[in-house]
Structures are given as structure tokens and as C-alpha cells.
Amino acid sequence: MKACTTISRDSLLSCGACMGKFTKSGKFRLHITALDYLSQYAQYKVWVKPSAEMSFLYGNNVSKSGLARITESTPQYAGVVVYSLADIPLGFGVAAQETDVCKDLEPSANVVLHQADVGEYLRGMEDDMY
């Protein structure tokens, strides 16, 4: 931020990390670049099994069979940060079910609905290259 002070306001377009953008309807959509900041302060977390990591990184939802752990008392439709078992943040999404309901679900039922992942950042870079 200090480096930005040397540039005049008229010439400066942006400064810092991109957290997201506003849609045409006025809603704010988080980008994956906000993951480092979200993971530090996340109230609700989900850990996925190694077999489900790649599926999530390709943009799929997390099913109960891929769920390793979930924060207690996670409400339905709450924002969650998705971690690997090694505590590496992989992305974020929305809890499709409450924690209590997850125990009784069938293995193919969705637990976390995908919103963004670190693979998305790489896929976006790939699209820009070609």
C-alpha cells in the first residue's frame, strides 16, 4: 500500500489483492484470491479426503463420501472454507446441509456446494494464455 502513495489518484487503477467484484445486479462475488484472508478468519471449515480433493479442484461439489471432518454446528447455507487433511486451503463454498443432518445422509449426497477453488485460478490463467 505504501508504494501506491507515490502514484497520483488519477493514474491509479487499483492497489492490493483482488477480493472479488460486483456483478451487474449489484451482488459481490468473491474471487479465489481472497482465500488466504478467508481461511485465517473462517468460522466454519470442512476437510475433505484425499480422494475428493481433485474432484473439488475440478469444480465439483463435495459429497458425504469425500467428507473427512466438518466444524460442529455448521448451519445450512453457511459459507465454509474447504481444506485438505494437511490443512491446506483448497477453496470455499456453501454448506448444503447442517452438521447434524450430514451424519444421516447417503454417501452420494452433497455436503458442500462448490463456489471457488485454487484450481480455478490456474484454469483462468490457462485461458488467458491461449
Side-chain angles (χ1 to χ4, degrees), residues 68-126:
R69 292 185 307 197
I70 187 169
T71 306
E72 284 298 319
S73 69
T74 301
Q76 188 175 17
Y77 304 124
V80 294
V81 176
V82 179
Y83 290 90
S84 67
L85 284 178
D87 281 336
I88 298 170
L90 301 175
F92 51 88
V94 176
Q97 306 291 337
E98 296 178 12
T99 304
D100 301 334
V101 177
C102 290
K103 298 171 186 172
D104 301 327
L105 289 175
E106 58 187 41
S108 62
N110 287 334
V111 177
V112 176
L113 304 175
H114 178 273
Q115 279 194 331
D117 61 78
V118 291
E120 180 179 300
Y121 181 74
L122 296 174
R123 289 190 300 272
M125 294 278 291
E126 185 177 272

Side-chain angles (χ1 to χ4, degrees), residues 12-57:
L12 186 66
L13 290 175
S14 66
C15 177
C18 176
M19 293 293 180
K21 66 178 182 179
F22 286 98
T23 62
K24 292 180 181 178
S25 62
K27 295 180 181 177
F28 188 75
R29 180 128 170 107
L30 284 170
H31 282 191
I32 192 60
T33 51
L35 182 62
D36 292 335
Y37 303 102
L38 285 176
S39 62
Q40 292 175 13
Y41 304 108
Q43 185 175 6
Y44 304 114
K45 302 176 183 181
V46 171
W47 288 265
V48 294
K49 294 178 182 174
S51 59
E53 282 182 26
M54 288 306 295
S55 177
F56 181 75
L57 292 176

